[in-house]
Amino acid sequence: MSNCVFCEILSGRLPSSQIYRDELCTAFLDIQPVNPGHLLIVPNSHAAFLSELEEETGAQMFRVAHRLAHALRKSGVKCEGANFFLADGEAAMQEVFHVHLHVFPRYPGDGFGLRFGPAYFQKPTRAELDSVAKKIRDVL
Ligand SMILES: [Zn+2]
């Protein structure tokens, strides 16, 4: 047994309601959905964080998410919009340390929301934005 629940699902040792699988990634329903149809797309090879994930696998995960968001809207599952959510690191609310991209249906009054911190309401200056942009560009 692996101590990673998603590796256990991928190996078939734990059950899942699978939706899609290819050579790079697999999609199955979240067992604690925000709304019905909430699915997860995970790489087939264990990677705890984005920094451990091959870029092509990440690209394929997004391609599949794009396709499945479209499928959700056509499926009859209540879906007036969709959110994509990926938590990379504990500070970002990652709870299972095997990369996973959430795709979940949204509709008015579903009760889900995001909360902004106080810094959100104090817009940075252009100089501050440019300084942060430079720091990121410098390490690309
Ligand atoms: Zn894993």
Side-chain angles (χ1 to χ4, degrees):
M1 286 283 277
S2 159
N3 59 6
C4 171
V5 66
F6 291 164
C7 283
E8 290 300 300
I9 287 171
L10 290 165
S11 71
R13 286 188 291 269
L14 284 176
S16 72
S17 295
Q18 188 172 303
I19 293 167
Y20 175 88
R21 186 164 190 143
D22 64 27
E23 64 284 355
L24 293 176
C25 63
T26 300
F28 48 83
L29 291 181
D30 194 311
I31 61 167
Q32 192 169 16
V34 168
N35 287 318
H38 180 164
L39 57 91
L40 303 173
I41 300 158
V42 305
N44 294 341
S45 297
H46 184 84
F49 304 104
L50 280 179
S51 59
E52 300 171 8
L53 188 71
E54 293 289 334
E55 203 170 282
E56 179 52 31
T57 304
Q60 180 63 10
M61 288 170 66
F62 195 89
R63 279 186 210 102
V64 171
H66 186 179
R67 198 178 310 157
L68 294 182
H70 187 61
L72 275 170
R73 286 175 181 264
K74 294 194 323 189
S75 67
V77 170
K78 189 170 184 178
C79 181
E80 295 181 29
N83 276 132
F84 290 15
F85 182 75
L86 193 151
D88 188 41
E90 200 166 353
M93 301 168 44
Q94 185 175 5
E95 292 177 340
V96 175
F97 293 93
H98 180 133
V99 174
H100 52 290
L101 176 57
H102 297 258
V103 178
F104 50 94
R106 298 297 313 278
Y107 45 87
D110 65 13
F112 183 80
L114 297 172
R115 186 175 52 82
F116 296 106
Y120 178 78
F121 300 99
Q122 295 152 5
K123 281 190 173 178
T125 64
R126 177 58 55 199
E128 289 166 331
L129 291 170
D130 287 347
S131 170
V132 172
K134 181 180 184 324
K135 286 179 184 173
I136 299 167
R137 270 197 316 271
D138 286 352
V139 294
L140 280 178

PDB file of all heavy atoms in Angstrom, residues 4 6-7 46 98, ligand 1:
ATOM      1  N   CYS A   4      -0.214   7.300  -0.361  1.00  0.00           N
ATOM      2  CA  CYS A   4      -0.869   8.364  -1.144  1.00  0.00           C
ATOM      3  C   CYS A   4      -2.214   7.844  -1.643  1.00  0.00           C
ATOM      4  O   CYS A   4      -2.284   6.866  -2.393  1.00  0.00           O
ATOM      5  CB  CYS A   4       0.018   8.759  -2.320  1.00  0.00           C
ATOM      6  SG  CYS A   4      -0.817   9.872  -3.467  1.00  0.00           S
ATOM      7  N   PHE A   6      -4.304   9.004  -3.770  1.00  0.00           N
ATOM      8  CA  PHE A   6      -4.525   9.064  -5.215  1.00  0.00           C
ATOM      9  C   PHE A   6      -3.739   7.960  -5.932  1.00  0.00           C
ATOM     10  O   PHE A   6      -4.217   7.399  -6.919  1.00  0.00           O
ATOM     11  CB  PHE A   6      -4.200  10.447  -5.783  1.00  0.00           C
ATOM     12  CG  PHE A   6      -5.168  11.517  -5.353  1.00  0.00           C
ATOM     13  CD1 PHE A   6      -4.854  12.855  -5.488  1.00  0.00           C
ATOM     14  CD2 PHE A   6      -6.415  11.200  -4.818  1.00  0.00           C
ATOM     15  CE1 PHE A   6      -5.747  13.856  -5.099  1.00  0.00           C
ATOM     16  CE2 PHE A   6      -7.314  12.175  -4.420  1.00  0.00           C
ATOM     17  CZ  PHE A   6      -6.969  13.514  -4.561  1.00  0.00           C
ATOM     18  N   CYS A   7      -2.552   7.629  -5.449  1.00  0.00           N
ATOM     19  CA  CYS A   7      -1.818   6.495  -6.035  1.00  0.00           C
ATOM     20  C   CYS A   7      -2.597   5.199  -5.796  1.00  0.00           C
ATOM     21  O   CYS A   7      -2.627   4.321  -6.670  1.00  0.00           O
ATOM     22  CB  CYS A   7      -0.407   6.405  -5.456  1.00  0.00           C
ATOM     23  SG  CYS A   7       0.726   7.638  -6.151  1.00  0.00           S
ATOM     24  N   HIS A  46       3.128   9.696  -9.552  1.00  0.00           N
ATOM     25  CA  HIS A  46       3.091  10.511  -8.345  1.00  0.00           C
ATOM     26  C   HIS A  46       3.975  11.748  -8.463  1.00  0.00           C
ATOM     27  O   HIS A  46       5.145  11.658  -8.806  1.00  0.00           O
ATOM     28  CB  HIS A  46       3.518   9.687  -7.127  1.00  0.00           C
ATOM     29  CG  HIS A  46       3.412  10.466  -5.849  1.00  0.00           C
ATOM     30  ND1 HIS A  46       2.227  10.574  -5.157  1.00  0.00           N
ATOM     31  CD2 HIS A  46       4.313  11.212  -5.183  1.00  0.00           C
ATOM     32  CE1 HIS A  46       2.411  11.348  -4.102  1.00  0.00           C
ATOM     33  NE2 HIS A  46       3.668  11.757  -4.097  1.00  0.00           N
ATOM     34  N   HIS A  98      -0.533  14.884  -3.835  1.00  0.00           N
ATOM     35  CA  HIS A  98      -0.401  14.337  -5.189  1.00  0.00           C
ATOM     36  C   HIS A  98      -1.170  15.366  -6.027  1.00  0.00           C
ATOM     37  O   HIS A  98      -2.364  15.572  -5.783  1.00  0.00           O
ATOM     38  CB  HIS A  98      -1.030  12.935  -5.250  1.00  0.00           C
ATOM     39  CG  HIS A  98      -0.970  12.245  -6.581  1.00  0.00           C
ATOM     40  ND1 HIS A  98      -0.558  10.920  -6.721  1.00  0.00           N
ATOM     41  CD2 HIS A  98      -1.289  12.676  -7.823  1.00  0.00           C
ATOM     42  CE1 HIS A  98      -0.641  10.578  -8.008  1.00  0.00           C
ATOM     43  NE2 HIS A  98      -1.082  11.621  -8.692  1.00  0.00           N
TER      44      HIS A  98
HETATM   45 ZN    ZN B   1       0.386   9.697  -5.340  1.00  0.00          ZN
END
